[in-house]
Amino acid sequence: EVQVLESGGDLVEPGGSLRLSCAVSGFTFDTCDVSWVRQAPGKGLEWVSGFRGNGDKTYYADSVKGRFTVSRDNSKNTLYLQMNSLRAEDTAVYYCAKGYRTGWNYFDFWGQGTLVTVSS
Amino acid sequence: EIVMTQSPATLSVSPGEGATLSCRASQTVSSDLAWYQQKPGQAPRLLIYGASTRATGIPARFSGSGSGTEFTLTISSLQSEDFGFYYCQHYNKWPLTFGGGTKVEIK
C-alpha cells in the first residue's frame, strides 16, 4: 500500500528557513518522480518542485527557484524540501505527491499536507 | 511555462443535473492532462489522466475529453458528493502547472 506523509510545517518569520520532509512507503524512488505542490489559504494548487525518479534531476517553479531546494535520501525513503528566504506569499499547505511513474507526472497519491505559515 | 486556464470559475448545478468544465492550455500538451477533485480540508484526488482515462475507483459519470489545447471534464448527473473544487494539470513537460480551478456548488 502506497503511503505519503509530510512533516515539518511550522510558523516561521519572513526571511527564515524551514525544511519539510516527505516519508513514503509502498514504492521506491527509482520508479517515479515525486513533487511538492502547495496551496495558499483559499487559493488553488501550485506545483512547486519535482525530483526525477531515475536520476538526480530536479525542477522548480519560477516562484521558488533559487530559494527552495529539493533532495532525497533513498535509504530513508524520504524526500525533503529546504525552503530559504521565506516570504509571506510562501504561506500554504504543502503537499507531497507521487507521480504515476517517471515521465508520467499525474499524481496518483497525495499526502495530507503540512502547513507552513510565514509571518512576523 | 504552459499556462492552464479553467472556466468557469464557479458552476452552480442542481443535484442530478450534468456539468461541463473546461480547461485550456497555452500550448499543446498532447493528451498529457489530468483532472483532480478536491474537497475542503482534504488532499486532491485523481479523477482522470491521459485526458480521458478514469483513475481507479472513479465512477463512470465522470468523463474527460480533448487533446492538444482544449479539454473538458463532464459529470453526467451530479451527486451530493461531487460538489467541490476541480483542477486540471498538464504533465507534458517540466514545469508542471495546474489550472486555477472550478468550484462546483449546489444551486
Side-chain angles (χ1 to χ4, degrees):
Chain A
E1 179 189 6
V2 171
Q3 292 191 334
V4 177
L5 182 64
E6 307 94 337
S7 61
D10 204 347
L11 170 64
V12 61
E13 292 186 347
S17 298
L18 200 61
R19 188 179 82 159
L20 305 183
S21 299
C22 170
V24 308
S25 60
F27 69 97
T28 55
F29 281 134
D30 61 344
T31 61
C32 59
D33 307 342
V34 181
S35 284
W36 289 97
V37 176
R38 69 184 180 183
Q39 187 168 37
K43 303 298 184 183
L45 301 171
E46 179 188 16
W47 175 82
V48 172
S49 179
F51 200 114
R52 195 161 179 85
N54 55 354
D56 292 326
K57 285 191 71 72
T58 57
Y59 307 88
Y60 301 93
D62 286 345
S63 58
V64 306
K65 200 172 294 183
R67 299 188 300 123
F68 290 11
T69 302
V70 63
S71 62
R72 74 184 185 196
D73 185 333
N74 291 342
S75 68
K76 296 182 178 180
N77 293 323
T78 301
L79 187 77
Y80 302 100
L81 185 68
Q82 177 66 43
M83 304 185 295
N84 298 331
S85 303
L86 282 162
R87 307 166 180 167
E89 54 265 36
D90 295 318
T91 294
V93 173
Y94 284 73
Y95 294 102
C96 183
K98 171 190 168 295
Y100 173 68
R101 69 172 189 243
T102 296
W104 295 78
N105 283 298
Y106 54 88
F107 303 119
D108 54 355
F109 288 93
W110 297 67
Q112 283 305 299
T114 188
L115 177 62
V116 174
T117 303
V118 184
S119 175
S120 55
Chain B
E1 77 176 36
I2 299 174
V3 177
M4 308 299 292
T5 303
Q6 290 187 242
S7 61
T10 303
L11 195 56
S12 297
V13 185
S14 299
E17 290 185 343
T20 300
L21 289 66
S22 296
C23 175
R24 174 177 293 176
S26 61
Q27 59 185 267
T28 183
V29 298
S30 186
S31 295
D32 299 333
L33 192 284
W35 289 94
Y36 301 86
Q37 177 193 66
Q38 188 182 34
K39 298 181 181 180
Q42 296 184 15
R45 177 176 71 145
L46 176 67
L47 296 176
I48 300 285
Y49 62 90
S52 61
T53 303
R54 280 189 302 277
T56 302
I58 301 303
R61 63 181 181 272
F62 290 92
S63 63
S65 63
S67 66
T69 61
E70 300 284 343
F71 302 89
T72 300
L73 175 69
T74 301
I75 312 172
S76 60
S77 175
L78 266 96
Q79 307 297 303
S80 58
E81 62 267 30
D82 299 335
F83 293 95
F85 292 84
Y86 291 81
Y87 298 93
C88 64
Q89 175 233 334
H90 89 81
Y91 51 95
N92 184 256
K93 59 182 179 181
W94 304 94
L96 313 176
T97 51
F98 289 88
T102 292
K103 179 182 180 180
V104 177
E105 63 178 22
I106 299 175
K107 187 174 182 180

